[in-house]
């Protein structure tokens, strides 16, 4: 379980996050949704302590992530996997080396054991046999898959995905969403997905947090999101024409 | 300006704290020696040979007085090469090649969140990425300076003897005449200092890139400009200090 408490962050005097709190539960795919520029990525960076908020804390199963130095954080960091927006694969390494990288740096596994683990993860995301390619040679959807494989290679307790389906076609998007959801269920991970894609919202949102201009305005799940009457949320949800027609018809 | 220098110093401090295992650094170091050093041999060689040749020809053209012995030409080629061309001039060229490469690479890693990905794994990204580059530059630049010094003098020899403005005997006599071995040492010291400045300044620029592809380009440009300025200032200070 991850708890965030009263997180506030501003850049050069501009408030980007305003007193955001929330709980993300184990075994659930929790979504953070909102329009572009509302501070979703900043919230994620605060949770990962890449950006330190002015106020608030993040607790990982009760452990305060903002106390102590980097050495103290290593234990929690080992339990995290992150899929960044563009995949953030290391350009100079092959797919296999990318996925193996956390094992190389953070564990004392033998070569054979590492290889097996990498193969397992690549196969889990549906990429068996592509290990030898470079990131520049694979498609956007494959990059996200490699990113997921790298994120889960250390068997994380917490998985974070920043816009896992940005820049992908609708079909690939749904496949990536489903993959994340399956992995969450299969390995009983606490997963936080940042998205502005209504498809994901409706299909994988066990729990949903809606951010608007840095404030948390609503919380619920994929069933309750259609019926709720927060004006900003309605605007976000029903900007999709098909959905708004659906509602008009009901 | 002062705050930038302050941030640069903090950045340098970060390189030496929380290091990874020696094995990791060793592998990265070898890679960087190839990327920074070996791949620069060609440009360094070209520049050295031609500048040596030009210095020889120009000096001869300007020294027409019959009272000055001809071997002074190669004497001047030697001193110019060892004191400035093989270190300062070479490093200005390398600031362009190596500096823009380092800033571009790190800038791209920064904006595509590869650096964040390292940090999230608990790796000190500055140290992991930059320290091997720094060590590789400090190690390979002096070697390049030696190559450059040798080829500069060779370039002068070829230009001088092939065009017939100086005999091989005079040239050799000139480069051995009142030779101060300490000058070779100065050249090496300078290359070490310049290697340090170019690699860290360029890395600092790249590492602090924010935005997109445009900013990566800007970071590369300012890496080259700032490295060149730093090299020239350091050259002046070292000249005061060492000679
Ligand atoms: N390091 C930074 N420095 C200054 N401003 C930032 C920084 N990171 C993000 N911002 C600003 O914070 C706001 C929220 O950004 P972000 O969290 O990336 O939005 P999104 O919800 O689309 O992910 C944006 O206006 C952005 O310009
Ligand atoms: Mg974002």
């Amino acid at each position: 379980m991850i708890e965030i408490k009263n997180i506030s962050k501003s850049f050069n005097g501009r408030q980007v996050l305003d007193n955001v709190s929330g709980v993300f539960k184990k075994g659930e795919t929790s979504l953070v949704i909102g329009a572009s520029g509302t501070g979703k990525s900043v919230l994620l960076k605060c949770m990962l302590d890449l950006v330190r908020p002015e106020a608030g804390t993040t607790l990982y199963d009760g452990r305060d992530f903002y106390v102590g130095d980097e050495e103290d954080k290593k234990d929690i960091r080992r339990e995290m996997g992150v899929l960044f927006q563009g995949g953030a694969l290391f350009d100079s390494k092959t797919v296999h080396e990318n996925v193996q990288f956390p094992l190389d740096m953070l564990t004392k596994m033998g070569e054979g054991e590492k290889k097996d683990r990498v193969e397992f993860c690549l196969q889990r995301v549906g990429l068996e046999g592509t290990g030898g390619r470079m990131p520049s040679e694979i498609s956007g959807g494959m990059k996200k898959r490699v990113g997921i494989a790298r994120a889960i290679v250390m068997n994380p307790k917490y998985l974070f995905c920043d816009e896992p389906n940005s820049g992908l076609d609708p079909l690939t998007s749904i496949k990536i969403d489903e993959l994340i959801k399956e992995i969450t269920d299969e390995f009983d991970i606490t997963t936080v997905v940042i998205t502005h894609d209504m498809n994901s919202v409706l299909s994988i949102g066990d729990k949903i947090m809606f951010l608007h201009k840095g404030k948390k305005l609503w919380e619920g799940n994929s069933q309750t999101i259609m019926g709720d009457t927060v004006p900003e949320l309605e605007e976000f949800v029903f900007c999709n024409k098909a959905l708004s027609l659906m509602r008009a018809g009901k | 300006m002062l705050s930038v220098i302050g941030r640069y110093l903090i950045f340098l401090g970060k390189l030496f704290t929380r290091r990874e295992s020696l094995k990791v650094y060793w592998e990265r170091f070898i890679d960087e020696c190839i990327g920074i050093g070996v791949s620069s041999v060609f440009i360094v060689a070209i520049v050295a040979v031609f500048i040596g040749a030009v210095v020889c020809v120009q000096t001869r053209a300007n020294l027409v007085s019959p009272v000055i012995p001809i071997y002074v030409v190669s004497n001047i080629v030697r001193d110019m090469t060892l004191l400035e061309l093989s270190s300062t001039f070479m490093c200005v060229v390398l600031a362009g090649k190596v500096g823009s490469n380092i800033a571009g690479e790190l800038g791209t890693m920064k904006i595509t969140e590869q650096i964040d990905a390292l940090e999230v794994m608990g790796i000190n990204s500055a140290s992991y990425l930059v320290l091997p580059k720094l060590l590789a530059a400090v190690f390979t630049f002096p070697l390049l300076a030696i190559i450059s010094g040798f080829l500069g003098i060779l370039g002068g020899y070829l230009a001088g003897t092939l065009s017939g403005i100086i005999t091989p005997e005079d040239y050799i006599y000139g480069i051995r005449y009142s030779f101060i071995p300490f000058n070779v040492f100065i050249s090496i010291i300078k290359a070490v200092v310049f290697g340090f400045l170019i690699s860290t300044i360029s890395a600092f620029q790249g590492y602090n890139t924010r935005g997109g592809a445009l900013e990566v380009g800007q970071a590369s440009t300012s890496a080259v400009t700032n490295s060149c300025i730093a090299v020239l200032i350091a050259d002046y200070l070292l000249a005061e200090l060492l000679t």
Side-chain angles (χ1 to χ4, degrees):
Chain A
M1 185 175 69
I2 308 169
E3 287 166 87
I4 52 175
K5 289 187 177 162
N6 313 100
I7 289 192
S8 297
K9 174 72 196 168
S10 53
F11 286 112
N12 316 322
R14 202 168 59 85
Q15 191 91 7
V16 174
L17 290 175
D18 188 1
N19 205 11
V20 180
S21 300
V23 175
F24 306 101
K25 292 211 186 81
K26 192 167 188 244
E28 283 187 353
T29 311
S30 307
L31 304 188
V32 177
I33 64 171
S36 284
T38 46
K40 304 184 297 294
S41 295
V42 173
L43 178 65
L44 176 69
K45 290 195 168 147
C46 287
M47 292 172 72
L48 298 172
D49 199 23
L50 293 172
V51 167
R52 183 60 69 91
E54 279 102 40
T57 49
T58 301
L59 302 174
Y60 287 89
D61 290 308
R63 295 167 293 174
D64 191 335
F65 197 41
Y66 296 157
V67 297
D69 56 21
E70 277 295 328
E71 218 43 61
D72 301 322
K73 293 199 178 91
K74 272 202 162 149
D75 289 336
I76 300 181
R77 291 219 184 274
R78 263 165 222 265
E79 298 172 353
M80 293 175 161
V82 185
L83 169 63
F84 285 96
Q85 204 157 339
L89 303 181
F90 303 118
D91 310 307
S92 56
K93 296 186 191 304
T94 64
V95 166
H96 189 101
E97 287 165 349
N98 261 286
V99 179
Q100 189 174 315
F101 185 77
L103 301 178
D104 287 339
M105 297 297 289
L106 307 173
T107 70
K108 299 211 168 358
M109 278 189 189
E111 287 300 321
E113 205 181 343
K114 282 194 271 196
K115 189 158 179 286
D116 290 345
R117 178 72 194 151
V118 173
E119 304 269 290
F120 169 79
C121 291
L122 281 176
Q123 189 220 325
R124 184 63 197 82
V125 298
L127 284 180
E128 50 275 75
T130 53
R133 296 211 221 159
M134 298 303 286
S136 56
E137 298 166 358
I138 60 178
S139 70
M142 285 162 87
K143 279 185 190 148
K144 303 269 177 161
R145 285 172 192 271
V146 178
I148 294 173
R150 187 176 69 187
I152 61 170
V153 76
M154 292 279 290
N155 245 327
K157 282 164 94 172
Y158 317 103
L159 178 64
F160 302 89
C161 306
D162 192 355
E163 312 225 351
N165 40 29
S166 67
L168 301 183
D169 62 272
L171 189 62
T172 314
S173 293
I174 290 173
K175 287 204 181 123
I176 296 282
D177 281 343
E178 281 170 355
L179 179 64
I180 292 171
K181 175 116 177 106
E182 280 166 26
I183 286 174
T184 304
D185 294 343
E186 202 173 312
F187 304 110
D188 203 19
I189 305 175
T190 309
T191 300
V192 180
V193 177
I194 288 176
T195 185
H196 55 218
D197 182 13
M198 273 313 290
N199 272 328
S200 323
V201 171
L202 295 176
S203 56
I204 63 166
D206 289 329
K207 211 192 114 193
I208 300 167
M209 175 196 280
F210 174 65
L211 280 190
H212 182 74
K213 297 199 171 143
K215 284 195 175 67
K216 183 172 93 173
L217 288 189
W218 178 86
E219 210 170 5
N221 60 39
S222 51
Q223 277 85 51
T224 58
I225 196 167
M226 302 292 281
D228 252 304
T229 50
V230 179
E232 291 86 355
L233 179 64
E234 277 188 30
E235 194 187 339
F236 178 80
V237 172
F238 296 104
C239 64
N240 180 320
K241 205 163 178 193
L243 285 177
S244 63
L245 284 176
M246 228 168 77
R247 182 164 71 152
K250 113 178 142 180
Chain B
M1 179 70 191
L2 272 179
S3 85
V4 174
I5 293 177
R7 284 197 296 129
Y8 171 68
L9 293 177
I10 292 172
F11 176 74
L12 289 185
K14 214 180 150 199
L15 299 186
F16 296 98
T17 51
R18 264 206 318 122
R19 279 157 304 174
E20 309 302 325
S21 73
L22 274 178
K23 178 171 170 284
V24 168
Y25 282 110
W26 177 250
E27 285 168 6
R28 295 262 307 113
F29 173 72
I30 298 296
D31 286 348
E32 295 296 348
C33 282
I34 294 169
I36 290 175
V38 178
S39 73
S40 300
V41 169
F42 181 68
I43 180 81
V44 164
I46 295 279
V47 170
V49 169
F50 278 90
I51 296 290
V54 169
V55 169
C56 179
V57 173
Q58 287 284 2
T59 311
R60 177 68 187 106
N62 290 297
L63 276 184
V64 281
S65 161
V67 283
I68 301 171
I70 192 74
Y71 66 78
V72 167
V73 172
S74 63
N75 197 265
I76 287 174
V77 171
R78 181 199 72 203
D79 281 348
M80 287 274 279
T81 305
L82 290 186
L83 286 176
E84 294 302 327
L85 301 180
S86 71
S87 49
T88 314
F89 195 83
M90 177 193 79
C91 284
V92 168
V93 172
L94 288 180
K97 182 181 177 292
V98 174
S100 63
N101 180 291
I102 290 179
E105 181 186 330
L106 291 178
T108 307
M109 291 190 78
K110 176 73 185 239
I111 63 159
T112 57
E113 298 181 307
Q114 293 174 50
I115 288 183
D116 285 342
L118 287 170
E119 288 287 329
V120 161
M121 293 174 201
I123 296 164
N124 179 348
S125 59
S127 170
Y128 173 77
L129 294 170
V130 180
L131 191 57
K133 289 187 195 295
L134 164 60
L135 296 176
V138 167
F139 177 68
T140 57
F141 275 34
L143 302 181
L144 290 170
I146 292 169
I147 295 177
S148 168
F150 173 74
L151 290 178
I153 293 172
L154 182 69
Y157 176 84
L158 292 176
T161 53
L162 291 179
S163 62
I165 56 180
I166 181 168
T167 63
E169 292 74 28
D170 276 339
Y171 194 89
I172 301 293
Y173 182 78
I175 58 175
R176 301 182 66 165
Y177 181 76
S178 73
F179 173 61
I180 309 165
F182 187 66
N183 285 351
V184 177
F185 180 69
I186 292 181
S187 172
I188 288 171
I189 293 286
K190 278 165 60 168
V192 169
V193 173
F194 299 161
F196 178 87
L197 289 172
I198 291 172
S199 58
T200 53
I201 290 174
S202 307
F204 176 70
Q205 295 287 348
Y207 195 81
N208 289 307
T209 308
R210 191 169 289 151
L214 186 68
E215 283 79 4
V216 175
Q218 287 167 352
S220 285
T221 310
S222 49
V224 176
T225 321
N226 295 344
S227 301
C228 282
I229 294 172
V231 164
L232 295 173
I233 292 174
D235 186 35
Y236 173 73
L237 294 177
L238 285 173
E240 292 277 312
L241 215 71
L242 294 173
T243 49

